Every structure is written in structure tokens, then in C-alpha cells.
């Protein structure tokens, strides 16, 4: 068996556990000529997110919530078939899964602290607005006789 270039780091010291990755291979459509009909180059990578112990519990709950639409019985699936070689498709699928989990386990952004507009700034804005209004009013031809 050819070793993958992993470990695929999700974030920090947490990486995808090789033992929990389920691989499936099938014939890929697309370019490849006659080669495409004989080689199982399309890769489907499955990872049981609901049952894994590789992720901290907080991350797992966050990922289950964010990826709820993509999960089938708690399993997330990633497909790759853009390369002609099965090995490169395996690499692509694993990197894509790691990126997906990194995004899904990311903490929510900090809430925005509203800022106060300085009163001087607002007064100046209103003064300039009034000035501009006067300038435009002076352009109308009503006063010309």
C-alpha cells in the first residue's frame, strides 16, 4: 500500500485519524481515454463525524450543527474525480475533508461591539449638509427677474 502524504491537520494538533477514514473507489467519468474505463480513479471519502473520538467534544458538536445538511446518519462524504490518478484523487479528497472540518469546527466570530459616533462629527456633517443645501438653493432661477 502506498502511504498518503498525511497527516491531514484540521487545526492545531488535531488531525484526521487514518483509521477512521472509509475509502470507496469507482470508475470516474471525464477525461482519460480508454484508461478511464479500466481504472477506479474516482474517490469517495467517508468520515463518521458522529462517532469519532478524534475531535474535541465542543468541536464535534459545532461541526455536527454546521454540517447538518451534508450529513447522512452522522457521516460526512467527500468525492474527488478531477485527476486521472486514484492517488491524486485520494490526496484531494483528504485535503478537502480536512478543510471542511476545519471550517466547520471554527469558533463563531466574536460579536461586534457597537461604536459611538462622536457628537462633533455629527454636527459637522449636518453643518456641511446645510451649507450644500444653501449652495444648491442659490442655483435655482427663482430670484432672477
Amino acid at each position: 500500500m502506498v502511504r498518503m502524504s498525511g497527516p491531514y491537520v484540521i487545526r492545531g494538533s488535531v488531525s484526521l485519524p487514518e483509521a477512521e477514514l472509509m475509502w470507496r473507489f469507482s470508475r470516474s467519468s471525464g477525461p482519460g481515454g480508454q484508461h478511464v474505463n479500466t481504472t477506479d480513479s474516482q474517490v469517495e471519502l467517508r468520515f463518521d463525524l458522529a462517532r469519532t473520538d478524534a475531535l474535541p467534544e465542543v468541536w464535534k458538536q459545532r461541526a455536527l450543527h454546521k454540517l447538518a445538511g451534508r450529513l447522512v446518519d452522522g457521516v460526512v462524504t467527500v468525492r474527488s474525480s478531477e485527476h486521472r490518478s486514484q492517488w491524486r484523487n485520494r490526496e484531494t479528497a483528504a485535503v478537502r475533508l480536512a478543510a471542511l472540518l476545519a471550517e466547520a469546527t471554527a469558533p463563531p466570530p466574536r460579536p461586534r461591539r457597537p461604536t459611538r459616533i462622536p457628537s462633533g462629527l455629527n454636527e459637522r456633517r449636518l453643518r456641511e449638509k446645510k451649507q450644500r443645501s444653501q449652495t444648491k438653493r442659490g442655483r435655482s432661477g427663482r430670484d432672477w427677474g
Side-chain angles (χ1 to χ4, degrees), residues 32-95:
Q34 291 128 347
H35 174 74
V36 80
N37 301 324
T38 58
T39 314
D40 291 342
S41 61
Q42 177 173 294
V43 173
E44 184 180 284
L45 174 58
R46 296 164 54 89
F47 179 66
D48 196 339
L49 187 59
R51 292 192 189 87
T52 187
D53 293 325
L55 299 177
E57 194 58 37
V58 179
W59 288 18
K60 191 157 84 167
Q61 293 309 317
R62 208 180 284 154
L64 284 169
H65 178 71
K66 283 188 183 172
L67 298 174
R70 280 193 70 149
L71 298 177
V72 177
D73 296 329
V75 178
V76 64
T77 305
V78 175
R79 264 196 199 90
S80 176
S81 63
E82 50 262 23
H83 303 292
R84 286 176 62 176
S85 113
Q86 185 190 99
W87 186 80
R88 284 178 69 191
N89 280 331
R90 283 176 67 127
E91 288 287 305
T92 306
V95 167

Side-chain angles (χ1 to χ4, degrees), residues 6 8-9 18 20 24 26 30 47 69 76 96-97:
Y8 297 98
V9 176
E18 198 71 45
E20 292 185 31
R24 216 175 97 210
S26 58
F47 179 66
V76 64
R96 208 179 284 162
L97 179 63

Side-chain angles (χ1 to χ4, degrees), residues 4 19-20 22 41 45 48 57 72 113 116-117 133 138 140:
M4 304 283 292
E20 292 185 31
M22 296 168 278
S41 61
L45 174 58
D48 196 339
E57 194 58 37
V72 177
R113 253 183 67 216
R116 252 187 77 246
I117 300 171
S133 168
S140 72

